[in-house]
Amino acid sequence: MEPKTPSRLEKIMAAGQLGVTSEVGPPRGADGAEIEHKGHLIKDYVDAVNVTDNQTSVVRLCSLASCIRLKQMGIDPVLQMTTRDRNRIAMQSDILGAASFGIHNMLCLTGDHQTFGDHPMSANVFDLDSVQLIQTVKMMRDEGKLLSGFEMKVRPQIFIGAAENPFAGPNVELRALRLGKKIAAGAEFIQTQCIYNIPKFKEWMKIAVDKGYAEKAYIMAGITPFKSLGMARYMKTKVPGMDVPDNLIDRLKGVPKEKQADEGIKMAIEMMQELKEVPGVRGFHIMAIEWEEKVPELVKGAGLYPRPQV
Amino acid sequence: MIKATPKPLEEIINYVKDFNKILVAGCDGCVTVCEAGGMKEAKVLGSALRLYFTQAGKDHEVVETTVTRQCDKEYLAELKDMVENADAVVSIACGCGIQYLTEMYNDKIVFPGVDTHFMGINADRGIFEERCAGCGQCVLASTGGICPIARCSKRMLNGPCGGSEAGKCEISKDTPCGWHLIYERLEKLGQVDRFTQPVDPKNWRTSRDGGPRVIIREDLRKAEPQHGSAHS
Ligand code: SF4
Ligand code: SF4
């Protein structure tokens, strides 16, 4: 695949190298320095940095402003955008704003329902869903048009990403079809939900390869290391659409509490080593939630350091 | 039909406590079916108000009645004398009926006696479930007869989202995932390939987003007036 945008991530994966991304969760306050601090921790170990958009529906410093900060530090940001809080007017406007600052990657999401967050009483918007947001970005970039049909003089240059959860319902076949749908809508890279159930992920990947989806988009495997047994249990029981097999929980149970974090990192590295060999995997998306300082260790451990220069 | 539930008695008492002559006006339509605003509920509310006024030692006169439909002028007209005789009216029709009664008897104080929720079905005695959000442009033909607007918590047109698990919606284990249901139905119909084609953004103008809606059916306006029509 030839790169279509100035995105560094796109160039690296187009050159046949495994891409590496990670994410930064903005603070629940106006502390811009925290974003820069987190950016510094991972800067040299990843090709691009996602910034979450009010994840789990909790109000945080906005993704766009955080992306601009990262961009100004020389980091290639991935603007995450959910359709939960903004209608098509606001989203297109933010896309143009991002593009004006040279932000060249986006991850298009529907977003968690607001009942999970700190403002469960808020109205939900959902003017578009993730698939329609992908269509929108593609139309803006490739046709130079807004959804209204208005032709822009300057088009946004955006490498279009989407998420997919191989482990959600109703079954793995439908989840693969939906991946195909997102690619048909215009998604060029896919960051998956955190993978713990490797056999099931392989099943999903096999369908993606057989149906030709894996050739049309770069599929990046989602990795989240466990910080503790408590976190693993929480992920298993409380986070919708998360599939944590019992053997992983048992493995953490088998080590003393103070060693669980190290064990979690070890497990994540082993998983990355295994996933590197799965046909169709073109990169990794490391979501080290409030544990950004561990990203270098994971990237090195998986043999993905140093990052290619493009 | 429209589904409503009675407001808490304390809230209604708070509205009417400074009035003496109260008319409790029910409706024989939807709110009778969902047992929130029919004659039975009017009597229950009337008795409760009488008990309150008696215990509070206040003069009072509480009258209960219902009409065929509070969303039609002809039926509301039947209430003329009773409304005129009252100091305040508590309407236990749906939000439409309450407003139309207010509109017709504009110098009278009218209070809502129910909370109006949604358009839904009677799943079982005392269980009402939402089915349609009145989007004004029905897509059921392409979604296996299951509404993605009313039955998906994110009104997605390209579901299911990544939070769908074991047939349930991410918002609660008690809420079926609308898109899971759509998938099951389309699979039964052999139409799963629908899931590979992106569905374009919806035009929400026909929904509430376009502002207050009015339907003008010229064909009906030209036709002979029928009993119960608003144009006789
Ligand atoms: S698609 Fe629209 S009209 Fe049809 S059932 Fe759903 S909300 Fe009602
Ligand atoms: S879980 Fe199902 S019903 Fe709930 S928001 Fe996701 S797709 Fe919609």
Side-chain angles (χ1 to χ4, degrees), chain A residues 99-118:
Chain A
S100 78
F101 277 97
I103 291 165
H104 296 304
N105 311 289
M106 261 185 76
L107 187 73
C108 303
L109 305 163
T110 303
D112 297 318
H113 192 268
Q114 77 275 4
T115 44
F116 292 103
D118 57 351

Side-chain angles (χ1 to χ4, degrees), chain B residues 119 131-140 143 146-150 202:
Chain B
M119 289 183 271
R131 284 293 185 272
C132 170
C135 78
Q137 212 169 54
C138 195
V139 303
L140 288 176
T143 57
I146 293 152
C147 173
I149 319 294
K202 189 166 166 72

Side-chain angles (χ1 to χ4, degrees), chain A residues 110 126 128-132 164 168-171 174-175 177-178 181, chain B residues 139-171 175-188 191-200 202 204:
Chain A
T110 303
F126 299 116
L128 305 180
D129 61 24
S130 54
V131 172
Q132 295 162 343
E164 190 46 57
N171 55 40
L174 186 270
R175 294 327 302 193
L177 287 186
R178 194 149 181 276
K181 188 193 256 198
Chain B
V139 303
L140 288 176
S142 56
T143 57
I146 293 152
C147 173
I149 319 294
R151 303 186 69 188
C152 165
S153 305
K154 302 176 192 166
R155 63 173 190 183
M156 294 173 75
L157 292 166
N158 293 284
C161 77
S164 176
E165 202 174 286
K168 302 298 180 203
C169 173
E170 68 175 26
I171 65 159
T175 307
C177 166
W179 274 101
H180 184 101
L181 298 172
I182 293 170
Y183 175 75
E184 283 185 331
R185 183 90 210 291
L186 291 182
E187 194 182 37
K188 207 180 275 177
Q191 297 177 359
V192 167
D193 54 326
R194 286 238 164 96
F195 282 91
T196 55
Q197 272 315 307
V199 175
D200 289 345
K202 189 166 166 72
W204 296 109

Side-chain angles (χ1 to χ4, degrees), chain A residues 1 7-21 47 159 188-190 217-220 282-284 307-308 310:
Chain A
M1 284 180 268
S7 159
R8 184 189 308 168
L9 177 64
E10 182 180 17
K11 284 184 196 147
I12 287 174
M13 292 196 290
Q17 311 255 23
L18 288 171
V20 180
T21 52
D47 308 319
F159 184 36
E188 293 153 334
F189 71 98
I190 304 290
Y218 306 102
I219 298 176
M220 306 179 75
R282 303 295 300 271
F284 289 95
R307 300 305 309 142
V310 288

